[in-house]
Structures are given as structure tokens and as C-alpha cells.
Amino acid sequence: MQQRDTRLAYRLDRSPARIAALCGLSRHQHRLPAEFLIALPAESIEVLEVAASLRGGEADALTLSTMAASYAPLATVRLGGSRNMASARRTWAFTLSSRFCPNCLAGDGSAIQNAYGGPWRLRWHIPVSFACTAHSRLLEYGCPQCGGHPNRPSNTERQGLITQRTIGGLHPAQCRHHLASGPIGASVRTPLCAARLDQTAFVAERPDSDLVMMLALQRRIDRHLTPTKHSRATNDDCSKSEQHFIADLIAAAQLIRLSWPDSARLAPSSAVADLISRHVAAWTALRGDRSPGRRVRDAWAAPQDPAECGALLLAADTLLGDRGQEDGPALRERIQPLATAAFTRNEANTGAAFRRMNVSPDLSRALAQRSLGFNRAGGHHHAKQHVSSCQCHFGIEHVPALLPEAWIGAHFGDLSSLWDPKDVWKPRHLRRVASLRLVEMAGGGTWPQCAAILGIPWITAQRSLTVLKRSLLPGGLWPLLDTAVESVAQGLDADALHVDFAARRRTLSTWQIPVEDLVPLTVGLVRFANVESPLTRAAVTALVWA
């Protein structure tokens, strides 16, 4: 949007602010709101379409809204003010300052591009765009003369769509920053840099192996950013991990950075590792310079330097592995040491931040912190905790609140043989905990959430867990429980027919034995002499079900 405005302004010899006003895009003090890069309000679209003779949909095509469907972080950005720019940086949604390819800006040799330069591309605002595959080179992100970043305002200018918007006569590829900041209160501004950003174009030589890998990754990212009809049809049949390709890549990149240098082994070369180390050092210094109690707004932002960003994403892709294969257990083995390092070294809410990410079920399972087979909530509850810990064919509705004794005898003989045969309570606690574990395997969640699904009171579930922990943990016997539960799960998966225990629980929650049946059943029973007592009716109801 902003580059279309600057090209038109240069062509008509007007300032971008004037062109924006004529197109109905300016606001207070002729400001072009930064959120117009994401999407345009309906009233602005109508005025722009009339002023620029655009057909329906062409105005929206000038904004990032066209990529929201394929780039999930964009869909999470709320419009309405510069405060959202910080949120956009943290979530890798977009950056107002655009990276760029000097070769693309130099044009393709046509008359129109010789006069006005090549187009600035929308995807250069997306943090995962770090290379130009057409020219086999990394993107640039700063002016070669003054170091300023395109569209990034100075400290004295409110963040808007175009820097120095009231100044005209600049080529779209010229830097719009001042050479240096003037003295405070000075009435005379320093001259603009005006350096050409397309002057560093070059003919690419044979790329080295690291650049080859980065370009290959960029091509895969680009295919997801602009899917074709054929690729959409293919994605309907592909794995959920592939559908979450970019979201998983961003989450893995954050994990690489938060756990560095533990994650250094994932860098495919020493040069890539050096780039990540350089970024992490600067990023750590940024976080360390903050005042006590103050958060760094850009602490989770993507690296500005395209080379560092490409290196970080390359290591993240290595961490994720081949997402076309069944790689769940291996993925968890790779991720858990890094997750432990990241969660212990950083802020207390780091784990919660990862749980809020809309990643694939495989990555969600791999990231989950677990204790004795259950997800650890840490006091926070998120929907991603309900991702099942393994791919089961049975559902939570097929799990009874107490495992049948026949199942205990068939699968838990190694455990029950360790207990006194006269002890009737430990087997009962085992039946309850095993059911909780099966619910977690089929539906995910923490143990209190699993207990709620089964209708087990919280204090009852906690008591059963406590008893088994006291009995099994000191001798290192808890793996026997895990193995037995997995054996039950395999049996349930193999069964062609399943009992719907959830339907039984729903029925039991409202059913009571009819009074006309209760009287003859309690004849001669001294303990049930008062048949009209609610307690008596509830007790008989439970006995009948048992």
C-alpha cells in the first residue's frame, strides 16, 4: 500500500501525503495510519476505488489482508492504533519496516520499471521472508548510506504508513530518512539521505551451501504464503503438521532462541550457528538492559537481519524434522530438552506463551510439560492442553470412570502382584488413575480436567494419585503403570466395538431408582427401613448400577 502511494506520488510529482488525501486514506494531520498496511476500512476502500479507478477487490489486494488466510499470525492482529504494532512484532505477524531485494527494486528492464523502479513486494513485510529466490540472494533491511530502515519512523515521528510523508520528489527506491537527527528544538531539519536502495543489485554467483539451504526453505515458505488452487487441494489431504507449517516454524524458532546454546547442535553449519549466536547475543542484551519490572516489547520479535532470521528458521526446520512422516515420539525427544531449558531460564509465563500458539497437534504434544503422564498446567488452562498425547482410535467416551477388574487382571498383573492380596484399596486407586491416564491419552488435559470428564470429584482423584505415587515412585515402579496403561490403550484401539461409558455416565447423572421399585427391594432390610429418605434412594441407586 505505502509503496504504491510513493510510486504514484513520484510519477505525479506530489507528496505521498497529498496522494493519500486525494485517495481518502489520510487521517488527522494528514497521517497515514500504519494499520492500513493490514487492511482498509470499508469507507476508505470505496473512496480509493473511485479515485484510482480500481475494480472490486483491487484495493484489498494492496494490503496484507490477502495473505491472512495463508499466514495465520496476520489473522490474530487487531486493527486500531500503533499499540498493535508491538503485538504484531511479538507474534511475527508483520513488520512495518520492509525488507527489500535491491535487484527487484532495480526493475526488469522494461520502460515503466526503468522510470519508476521495480515494485516493492507485500511479502517483504512478513518476518519469514528473508531471501529473494528470483535473484538467489538474501534480502536487505537497511539503507547502505544512513542505515535507516524503510518506513521506520524517527523518534520524533509517530509511527505511520510512510516516513516523511509530506516530502515529494523522491524516487520509490530512495531512502526517506534524515541523515542525522538535528539538535533538540532546532527549526531546521537535516537533509534527507535520499540514497538509492536499488544500487546494491548484483549478479548472483554460485551460492554457498548455507544459502542454498536458506533459498530452499524460502521457496517452501513462499508456497505456503501464496498457495495455488492445486496446492490447496493437496493440502486438504496432507497432514495437520503440514497445514501448520509456518506456525510450527515460528514456534520452533522461538524455542531455538530461548534455549540457545543448547539448541546449537541443530544449526546445519558453523556459519549458521555464528549468525544465530550473534542474534541471540544482541537479543539477550536488549532484554538485559530493561529496567526492573519492565517488559521488552520486542523480546519475542523476529530477527531484523535477514541472514540471522534465515539462520534461525533453518535451525527451526531442522528441529521439526520431516513432518511428512510419523515422527511424534522422536519430535518430543528432540524438543523436550530444549523446552525444559527455555522454560527454566526465562520468564515464568514462557510455557503459557507456547501453549497459546496455534501450532500443530504433533508440536503441541512435543512441547507439553508432563508429570507422571499428565500435562502440567502451571495454573493456566488453554485449549491446546486438550490435544491428545498420542493418536488413539478410541475416544474419551470409551473410558470408564473405574477400569473393570477384568482389565486390571489382564494388564496390571506385574503391579497388583506387588501388593498385599488383602489390600482392596490400592487396586481401586489403580483402576481410577488408569482411567484418568486413558482419558489424557485420548483427549489430553491435566489430571483435574480428566477427572472432571469422568465425573470423578477432584479430591477423590487427588487421593488416588497420592496413594499410587507413595507406593510406586520410591521403588521406581511408575513405568510399570505407564506400560500397563499403554497395553490397555492398544487393546481398545484394536477393538472393533466400544462401550459408550460416557452415555452411561450421562444417564446415571440424572437417573434414580423409581420409588415403586424401591419399596419391594428394601423389604426386610433394616438399614433401608426409611425408604423415603433421599440418602436411602441414592444408596440403592448406586448399588443397582454397581
Side-chain angles (χ1 to χ4, degrees), residues 103-153:
N103 292 65
C104 290
L105 295 183
D108 58 8
S110 63
I112 187 69
Q113 293 201 12
N114 283 339
Y116 305 112
W120 288 72
R121 305 187 185 280
L122 273 174
R123 72 175 58 183
W124 292 343
H125 287 280
I126 301 299
V128 294
S129 291
F130 54 87
C132 175
T133 57
H135 297 104
S136 298
R137 62 171 295 166
L138 294 172
L139 299 180
E140 301 287 345
Y141 73 108
C143 171
Q145 179 168 296
C146 72
H149 298 167
N151 310 311
R152 176 172 295 180

Side-chain angles (χ1 to χ4, degrees), residues 18 22 89 312 359 397 479 536:
R18 178 57 179 161
L22 293 173
R89 288 190 293 269
L312 187 62
V359 298
E397 68 275 12
T536 298

Side-chain angles (χ1 to χ4, degrees), residues 67-68 70-78 87-88 91-94 127 246-247 250:
M67 302 175 67
S70 57
Y71 190 65
L74 270 176
T76 65
V77 178
R78 292 194 297 266
S87 174
T91 58
W92 291 47
F94 73 97
I246 290 180
I250 293 172

Side-chain angles (χ1 to χ4, degrees), residues 175-407:
C175 176
R176 303 186 68 87
H177 285 276
H178 288 281
L179 282 174
S181 300
I184 299 177
S187 58
V188 179
R189 300 296 299 273
T190 57
L192 290 181
C193 171
R196 292 287 291 262
L197 304 179
D198 55 358
Q199 296 302 306
T200 54
F202 62 85
V203 177
E205 299 178 355
R206 183 178 180 86
D208 60 29
S209 58
D210 290 339
L211 182 55
V212 167
M213 289 187 288
M214 289 187 186
L215 291 172
L217 177 57
Q218 185 67 73
R219 291 187 186 96
R220 292 168 58 201
I221 292 172
D222 290 347
R223 287 197 294 269
H224 285 80
L225 289 178
T226 53
T228 61
K229 291 183 178 179
H230 174 72
S231 65
R232 289 193 190 97
T234 304
N235 283 341
D236 289 341
D237 301 325
C238 71
S239 67
K240 289 184 178 180
S241 295
E242 188 63 19
Q243 294 175 21
H244 289 84
F245 172 79
I246 290 180
D248 284 4
L249 198 61
I250 293 172
Q254 301 284 37
L255 187 62
I256 292 286
R257 179 166 57 183
L258 289 167
S259 61
W260 194 265
D262 296 49
S263 51
R265 57 185 173 79
L266 296 163
S269 72
S270 59
V272 170
D274 289 342
L275 286 169
I276 300 175
S277 292
R278 187 177 73 187
H279 165 67
V280 171
W283 177 72
T284 304
L286 174 68
R287 302 174 80 208
D289 288 343
R290 67 187 180 192
S291 58
R294 181 184 176 185
R295 291 184 179 180
V296 179
R297 293 192 307 171
D298 292 347
W300 283 60
Q304 292 182 2
D305 188 317
E308 295 176 359
C309 187
L312 187 62
L313 291 174
L314 201 57
D317 189 55
T318 303
L319 172 61
L320 293 173
D322 186 358
R323 278 159 282 188
Q325 304 295 326
E326 296 295 333
D327 191 31
L331 179 63
R332 181 169 175 81
E333 288 181 7
R334 293 195 299 271
I335 281 189
Q336 272 302 297
L338 305 185
T340 300
F343 298 164
T344 54
R345 293 176 192 166
N346 296 280
E347 292 85 352
N349 64 346
T350 299
F354 275 95
R355 287 195 293 272
R356 286 192 292 267
M357 291 181 173
N358 187 28
V359 298
S360 66
D362 286 343
L363 183 55
S364 181
R365 280 190 284 267
L367 281 167
Q369 295 176 283
R370 300 172 65 78
S371 176
L372 301 180
F374 296 98
N375 289 341
R376 286 192 295 174
H380 302 278
H381 302 283
H382 300 288
K384 300 303 284 186
Q385 291 172 334
H386 290 282
V387 175
S388 58
S389 64
C390 58
Q391 297 178 350
C392 302
H393 298 298
F394 67 91
I396 57 176
E397 68 275 12
H398 303 134
V399 180
L402 278 176
L403 226 60
E405 291 184 352
W407 296 11

Side-chain angles (χ1 to χ4, degrees), residues 379-442:
H380 302 278
H381 302 283
H382 300 288
K384 300 303 284 186
Q385 291 172 334
H386 290 282
V387 175
S388 58
S389 64
C390 58
Q391 297 178 350
C392 302
H393 298 298
F394 67 91
I396 57 176
E397 68 275 12
H398 303 134
V399 180
L402 278 176
L403 226 60
E405 291 184 352
W407 296 11
I408 294 294
H411 300 280
F412 292 83
D414 291 343
L415 274 180
S416 56
S417 64
L418 301 175
W419 295 329
D420 187 339
K422 298 179 182 180
D423 189 343
V424 298
W425 285 108
K426 283 182 182 177
R428 188 172 182 82
H429 292 304
L430 175 63
R431 293 169 63 191
R432 184 174 292 123
V433 171
S435 291
L436 293 174
R437 284 282 289 110
L438 288 172
V439 169
E440 190 282 329
M441 293 172 72

